[in-house]
Amino acid sequence: MTSLKSAAAVLLMLPTIVSASGQEQLPPAEPYCQWQVKNYAIEQPLCGYTGSAERGKKIVSDSHAGNCLACHRLPIENIEAFGTIGPSLEGVGSRLSEGFIRLRVVDTRHINPASIMPGFYRDPKLINRPARAYIGRTFLTARQVEDVVAYLVSLK
Ligand code: HEC
């Protein structure tokens, strides 16, 4: 009887544990910055941030952040396998403009409505039924997007 009771107590506690740990992993949602598309490009950096290529390189290979390597090849050492679903991004900075790269990362559907690439900075209000912890959030923060863009632009 006692063990049954304590088992029930544990079960009742579970949802709290899960949501508490879910929130621990995520910093508070940041205010969303609007962006504008002109001629298949977003010319203005999100929220006016200046990106860091060094941080961007870490974000593209972090499977909990950009996870770009799941679909793209990039010039990063010590990676065993790259995804081949998307084109290689080696030398992308000399092929594509910064504004076009930013739009690709922010919301690729403006370029290819059928794309399977996730929109990393779509308006959270337009995301259908997000998991509770993700309400009001974008996949990457504005700063992370600018870091990734700075990194891709540096790949000449
Ligand atoms: C689920 C797979 C997937 C993921 C994850 C993904 N992409 Fe893509 N990406 C694609 C595909 C597929 C294309 C080809 C164009 C299309 O279908 O829209 C593409 C195209 C691109 C392009 C344009 C390349 C060109 O040569 O025209 C860029 C830049 C890009 N992705 C950057 C990124 C970055 C940066 C990340 C991570 C933050 C990322 N992608 C994550 C699938 C993905």
Side-chain angles (χ1 to χ4, degrees):
M1 193 58 196
T2 343
S3 66
L4 205 89
K5 250 190 189 162
S6 53
V10 168
L11 273 182
L12 283 175
M13 274 168 64
L14 258 181
T16 354
I17 295 167
V18 170
S19 62
S21 72
Q23 285 187 351
E24 258 169 51
Q25 290 166 355
L26 295 169
E30 291 177 17
Y32 172 75
C33 297
Q34 292 289 345
W35 39 268
Q36 269 193 341
V37 184
K38 234 190 225 167
N39 299 327
Y40 293 101
I42 301 173
E43 298 297 349
Q44 299 301 320
L46 299 181
C47 313
Y49 288 140
T50 305
S52 141
E54 207 180 311
R55 283 197 306 254
K57 186 174 179 181
K58 296 203 185 95
I59 296 164
V60 293
S61 33
D62 181 348
S63 58
H64 297 292
N67 200 19
C68 318
L69 303 187
C71 297
H72 294 283
R73 169 174 288 278
L74 278 156
I76 296 178
E77 320 77 42
N78 305 322
I79 301 284
E80 281 179 24
F82 291 96
T84 52
I85 297 168
S88 166
L89 297 180
E90 281 171 317
V92 70
S94 51
R95 281 190 286 119
L96 305 176
S97 73
E98 179 184 323
F100 184 87
I101 292 176
R102 185 174 289 107
L103 177 56
R104 264 290 183 205
V105 178
V106 163
D107 192 352
T108 220
R109 285 186 304 192
H110 283 267
I111 298 164
N112 172 10
S115 182
I116 58 156
M117 178 168 150
F120 290 92
Y121 200 82
R122 262 179 210 146
D123 188 339
K125 288 199 291 293
L126 305 179
I127 298 173
N128 263 333
R129 301 170 25 154
R132 204 146 162 248
Y134 285 92
I135 288 173
R137 291 176 186 278
T138 49
F139 284 171
L140 292 179
T141 65
R143 199 177 284 284
Q144 285 175 319
V145 169
E146 289 308 318
D147 292 342
V148 166
V149 170
Y151 169 63
L152 295 184
V153 167
S154 78
L155 301 179
K156 304 278 180 184

